Amino acid sequence: MDYINAFWVGGLICALVQILMEKTKMLPGRIMVLLVCSGAVLGALQVYEPFLEFAGAGASVPLLGFGNTLWKGVKEAVGSDGFIGIFMGGFTASAVGIAAALVFGYLASLIFQPKMKK
């Protein structure tokens, strides 16, 4: 059942974002920022954790999950380091994921030899 919940919740998030892209004049970058900020706000309101327990990877993989990860990192860093934790918490919480995306993106560019659009 966990796989089914992850599949339909992740699909629903993606479908809602697609509808938002098609029906509004919002640019994709702004929609991505909206999703990350929404994940952080839902984490701050303590709504995201029960949602994450229910949906699993369907909730943690999209950009909402990245926003929640940033929020959790900031919350932990503020608790241990004080005010400076606001600035460093998100970086420490998400550094591994960002580094992996950069490394695997670079490796894919070496394998597939991307070309510039004309």
Side-chain angles (χ1 to χ4, degrees), residues 20-103:
L20 190 62
M21 288 176 67
E22 297 290 330
K23 299 294 181 186
T24 67
K25 293 183 179 183
M26 289 180 71
L27 297 173
R30 291 184 182 200
I31 293 173
M32 290 181 355
V33 169
L34 178 70
L35 288 170
V36 171
C37 292
S38 297
V41 168
L42 289 173
L45 296 175
Q46 298 179 350
V47 175
Y48 201 80
E49 284 300 320
F51 179 58
L52 186 60
E53 287 290 323
F54 173 74
S60 65
V61 171
L63 286 172
L64 289 169
F66 182 67
N68 186 51
T69 300
L70 292 175
W71 161 251
K72 286 195 293 189
V74 168
K75 182 180 172 187
E76 289 176 15
V78 166
S80 64
D81 299 324
F83 181 75
I84 196 72
I86 294 172
F87 303 105
M88 62 186 231
F91 291 115
T92 55
S94 62
V96 173
I98 293 171
L102 289 171
V103 168

Side-chain angles (χ1 to χ4, degrees), residues 3-18:
Y3 295 118
I4 294 171
N5 286 339
F7 179 77
W8 76 263
V9 170
L12 182 64
I13 292 169
C14 292
L16 291 173
V17 169
Q18 188 65 40

